[in-house]
C-alpha cells in the first residue's frame, strides 16, 4: 500500500486546509484492500513530481518575477538527484540529454487529453527513448540544472503532439494556463 499526501476537497485547495494522508491501493490491490482516495482529494503537484516531501513551486505559469518575458510552465525545485516522475502517462516524443544551450528535454504525449507534458532541466534516465510508453508516476529522470541557473524541473503542458517546450522569453504565451488541466487530473497547485 502506498501513502500519498493530498489536500482534502475544494475547501482545502481554496482555503489551505491541512494536509492529510490517504492510503491508495498499489497495482494489483483492490479498493477493498486499502482505503480509497476521495474524488475531492487532490495531490500536491510539487510532491507528486518527486513522490517526496520538500518540492516547492518556484515560478508559476506566467509567473516570472525577476526575469523579463512570459513563463510557459511551472518550475518545481527539490534537491539535485531527486527522482522526477511523470505527472501523466503517455508516449515519449523526445529525449534530449544536452541541447546547444546545455538544456535537457523529456516530452511525453497523452493522446486521450491531446496534451504533451515537457520536462526541462532534468537528467533523463539512461535508457529512456522515443516511443516508449510511460505510466503516471513512473520515474523518468532526476532533478538537475541542465541549461538553468538553479536546480529545478520546468513542467510545461502543451496542446497537441509536441517534442519541444515553448520559448519562455518572449512577450506572448504559446501555451494555455495549465492549472485547470492539472486540477482535473487530481493535482493541487499551491
Amino acid at each position: 500500500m502506498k501513502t500519498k499526501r493530498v489536500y482534502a476537497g475544494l475547501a482545502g485547495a481554496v482555503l489551505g486546509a491541512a494536509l492529510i494522508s490517504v492510503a491508495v491501493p498499489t497495482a494489483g490491490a483492490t479498493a477493498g484492500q486499502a482505503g480509497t482516495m476521495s474524488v475531492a482529494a487532490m495531490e500536491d503537484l510539487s510532491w507528486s513530481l518527486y513522490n517526496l516531501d520538500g518540492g516547492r513551486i518556484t515560478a508559476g505559469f506566467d509567473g516570472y518575477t525577476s526575469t523579463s518575458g512570459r513563463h510557459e510552465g511551472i518550475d518545481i525545485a527539490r534537491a539535485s538527484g531527486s527522482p522526477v516522475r511523470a505527472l501523466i502517462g503517455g508516449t515519449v516524443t523526445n529525449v534530449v540529454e544536452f541541447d546547444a544551450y546545455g538544456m535537457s528535454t523529456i516530452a511525453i504525449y497523452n493522446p486521450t487529453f491531446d496534451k504533451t507534458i515537457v520536462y526541462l532541466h532534468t537528467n533523463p534516465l539512461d535508457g529512456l527513448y522515443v516511443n516508449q510508453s510511460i505510466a503516471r508516476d513512473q520515474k523518468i529522470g532526476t532533478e538537475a540544472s541542465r541549461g538553468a541557473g538553479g536546480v529545478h524541473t520546468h513542467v510545461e503542458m502543451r496542446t497537441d503532439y509536441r517534442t519541444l517546450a515553448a520559448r519562455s522569453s518572449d512577450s506572448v504565451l504559446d501555451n494555455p494556463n495549465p492549472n485547470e488541466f492539472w486540477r482535473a487530473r487530481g493535482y493541487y497547485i499551491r
Side-chain angles (χ1 to χ4, degrees):
M1 184 180 344
K2 183 174 174 182
T3 300
K4 296 215 176 216
R5 298 194 66 176
V6 296
Y7 288 90
L10 183 58
V14 174
L15 302 174
L19 201 55
I20 59 170
S21 293
V22 178
V24 291
T26 56
T30 66
Q33 292 172 313
T36 58
M37 192 181 326
S38 146
V39 173
M42 299 180 78
E43 207 171 288
D44 183 346
L45 185 72
S46 61
W47 187 88
S48 299
L49 184 64
Y50 311 108
N51 277 357
L52 296 167
D53 287 329
R56 69 192 186 291
I57 293 176
T58 57
F61 179 78
D62 200 18
Y64 279 147
T65 56
S66 60
T67 303
S68 63
R70 310 289 294 271
H71 191 231
E72 295 279 356
I74 299 171
D75 290 350
I76 306 172
R78 195 170 189 289
S80 182
S82 297
V84 173
R85 300 186 176 278
L87 294 170
I88 65 170
T91 302
V92 176
T93 64
N94 196 10
V95 179
V96 176
E97 290 278 341
F98 293 100
D99 69 7
Y101 304 100
M103 185 162 47
S104 63
T105 300
I106 302 168
I108 300 173
Y109 175 70
N110 183 298
T112 302
F113 306 124
D114 194 27
K115 303 283 190 252
T116 301
I117 307 305
V118 181
Y119 305 83
L120 300 178
H121 313 304
T122 62
N123 177 23
L125 281 184
D126 290 338
L128 192 65
Y129 60 91
V130 172
N131 293 325
Q132 180 178 355
S133 181
I134 299 294
R136 178 178 171 152
D137 200 41
Q138 182 175 336
K139 184 177 176 182
I140 57 173
T142 57
E143 189 79 337
S145 60
R146 293 182 175 192
V151 175
H152 73 281
T153 297
H154 172 93
V155 177
E156 187 171 316
M157 183 212 62
R158 305 215 59 199
T159 302
D160 304 319
Y161 180 100
R162 305 292 182 112
T163 59
L164 297 172
R167 291 184 50 89
S168 282
S169 60
D170 58 17
S171 60
V172 178
L173 289 170
D174 292 330
N175 295 326
N177 187 319
N179 293 347
E180 284 304 315
F181 173 80
W182 291 123
R183 282 196 268 298
R185 309 285 80 74
Y187 294 115
Y188 170 72
I189 300 168
R190 55 182 163 105

